[in-house]
Amino acid sequence: MPDSRFLPLVIYDKRFLIWWGISLYLFQLGSRRQLDFDLDARGTQVLNNLNRLAQTQQETRPVHDTLDHFLGHTGAAPYAELRTRMLRRLIRMRSLDAARLQGRFVVALDATGHLAFGRPHCPHCLVYRHATHTTYLHQVLEAKILGPAGLTLSMASEFIENSDSNAALSGEARKQDCELKALSRLLPQLRRDFPQLSVCLSGDSLYACARTLQLAKDCHCNYVLTFKPGHMPAVWKDFQSLLKLCPENKLTCSTPEGVHQVYCWVHGLSYRDDQGRTWHFNAIECKETVDGETTVFAWITDLKVDTRTVEEIATKGGRHRWHIENQGFNRQKNSGLNLEHAFSTDPERLKAYYYLLQIAHIILQILEVSSLLRNVAAEYGQTPIQLFGSLKNLARRLLEALRYFALSDEVFDHSHAARIQVRFDTS
Ligand SMILES: [Zn+2]
């Protein structure tokens, strides 16, 4: 090891380091260590391209520890703020408008595992005791805004973790943090970040409870929540008997894919919660038949339900929520984005990496579904997936472009980019 006192001091611009961090996920490198190899500056155009992207003049590249050190200084908050600004821009440009439900943006709620350890990792871990072993977990509650073409863009994240004040307690005395408690922190924050936005929350049956209804009211959000017999059983019973009493609330339709749907609905169901508050909402049932097999779905909502609106509420407010699982969590876990990998040993830095991943995934999703890529593929008479073979290959082609091509100055010119119209496939 050379004596560090004699190494030249290199100061990295923060814009460069942030792009360096986003690159980790944009090019789906999988681990921080890969930065040193895949983004090696020697014999490549990496520095040339990244300097122009970040508007910097770095003469050497950082090592992966530089990034980790930098994130230790900044903490996670600036990256959450950067993501908020990206989404505000997309909303302002009206690029997500095609997915709006009665004028509202649909925001899907769901939690996911982030990290799992076999032994205590930090004072904030959620602790789960099994018969033979104990696991120490970090989870995140996500609010993702649903856009056209299956876009599922992270707009708010709340880490599900035990607080310091709780840490001294052990075993049963310690009430752990959970998804619904995290929602009580997430929604007010989402409102502070997007004060004017018309929002319709979409969530699974776990969220069909008084806490969500109160939060939605306090934060001026509408909702479409999955309704199952086990949650609010008395209300479910009322729903079933009232369905029989209003046969006029019915719509039958078929999708182009040959799915037969029968919608029925009830207005003004009431629910008295354990704190004596009474809630009123509408409920929708959808019997869906594919190849002779019928599945029943149901939702509760405070949106106006009638023959004209029922299908749109169920589709955009109810079904599109499933994108959060597929396009959202599965993609982030089962790709080079590597959501469940511990990119740092430090709990606070892990959050910064989490936000950088979300930012990169927003950029990647926009790239994947935008007309830019479709137009390139169309020149070869193909779709983007036909042209690249897979989304994984697309990430590799992106990395190759960064490494081996001195991209033209036009590529980095904001005023030139402003003239390019990017459209999302809404078919
Ligand atoms: Zn931990």
Side-chain angles (χ1 to χ4, degrees), residues 2 32 96 107 139 141 157 169 189 285 327 402 416 426:
R32 183 151 55 87
L96 308 177
V107 173
Q139 296 173 341
L141 173 64
S157 312
L169 303 169
Q189 181 61 46
E285 180 193 74
Q327 171 69 335
L402 180 89
H416 177 75
T426 54

Side-chain angles (χ1 to χ4, degrees), residues 121-122 125 138:
H121 157 258
C122 74
C125 290
H138 282 242

Side-chain angles (χ1 to χ4, degrees), residues 135-424:
T135 47
Y136 300 84
L137 304 180
H138 282 242
Q139 296 173 341
V140 190
L141 173 64
E142 273 284 309
K144 297 197 196 259
I145 190 165
L146 304 184
L151 284 172
T152 309
L153 311 178
S154 172
M155 77 185 307
S157 312
E158 186 59 43
F159 295 91
I160 305 174
E161 55 184 18
N162 293 322
S163 64
D164 285 327
S165 58
N166 234 343
L169 303 169
S170 64
E172 297 311 307
R174 184 173 182 173
K175 278 241 189 300
Q176 301 215 74
D177 196 13
C178 70
E179 207 168 327
L180 283 173
K181 286 184 197 166
L183 185 67
S184 299
R185 305 190 296 272
L186 178 139
L187 265 192
Q189 181 61 46
L190 187 145
R191 241 326 146 220
R192 283 191 288 277
D193 289 338
F194 301 91
Q196 306 295 337
L197 202 69
S198 294
V199 167
C200 178
L201 302 171
S202 175
D204 66 22
S205 59
L206 172 77
Y207 295 94
C209 65
R211 185 193 285 253
T212 312
L213 300 181
Q214 184 65 49
L215 280 167
K217 187 177 169 201
D218 295 344
C219 297
H220 313 289
C221 299
N222 295 98
Y223 57 83
V224 178
L225 305 167
T226 302
F227 191 18
K228 283 197 173 151
H231 288 78
M232 306 190 284
V235 188
W236 180 267
K237 235 175 116 188
D238 287 348
F239 176 42
Q240 294 304 312
S241 16
L242 285 167
L243 276 174
K244 296 187 190 91
L245 298 178
C246 35
E248 69 281 9
N249 292 348
K250 186 172 177 180
L251 179 79
T252 304
C253 52
S254 289
T255 70
E257 294 81 27
V259 180
H260 184 71
Q261 296 167 329
V262 182
Y263 292 100
C264 298
W265 59 94
V266 165
H267 293 130
L269 277 176
S270 73
Y271 163 53
R272 199 174 159 79
D273 70 25
D274 56 7
Q275 293 183 45
R277 297 172 296 194
T278 304
W279 304 95
H280 297 281
F281 42 74
N282 305 320
I284 301 171
E285 180 193 74
C286 175
K287 285 190 174 141
E288 193 170 279
T289 308
V290 195
D291 298 330
E293 222 164 281
T294 302
T295 317
V296 182
F297 302 97
W299 299 275
I300 59 168
T301 181
D302 59 344
L303 295 174
K304 190 171 180 295
V305 185
D306 59 32
T307 322
R308 291 171 301 112
T309 60
V310 66
E311 191 186 2
E312 192 190 20
I313 293 171
T315 305
K316 290 183 173 176
R319 288 193 186 80
H320 283 180
R321 184 183 64 75
W322 300 333
H323 292 312
I324 196 173
E325 191 59 39
N326 302 323
Q327 171 69 335
F329 300 142
N330 289 348
R331 268 296 301 289
Q332 294 188 356
K333 289 176 184 178
N334 304 312
S335 70
L337 291 168
N338 221 358
L339 177 77
E340 293 169 299
H341 174 77
F343 283 90
S344 180
T345 50
D346 176 76
E348 189 58 28
R349 292 178 205 186
L350 282 168
K351 294 180 185 175
Y353 285 102
Y354 183 88
Y355 288 118
L356 289 172
L357 185 157
Q358 301 305 328
I359 289 167
H361 194 204
I362 290 171
I363 300 172
L364 284 172
Q365 287 186 67
I366 290 170
L367 177 74
E368 285 161 15
V369 305
S370 78
S371 53
L372 286 177
L373 206 61
R374 282 205 311 281
N375 293 346
V376 171
E379 286 177 28
Y380 300 92
Q382 291 179 310
T383 65
I385 288 296
Q386 284 170 335
L387 180 63
F388 294 100
S390 67
L391 291 172
K392 191 177 164 205
N393 287 346
L394 181 60
R396 282 166 56 182
R397 296 294 99 78
L398 264 185
L399 178 60
E400 284 168 11
L402 180 89
R403 280 167 62 87
Y404 300 120
F405 294 99
L407 298 168
S408 72
D409 286 338
E410 205 179 61
V411 172
F412 303 101
D413 178 359
H414 292 193
S415 57
H416 177 75
R419 291 195 296 275
I420 302 175
Q421 284 258 349
V422 178
R423 290 174 206 286
F424 300 131

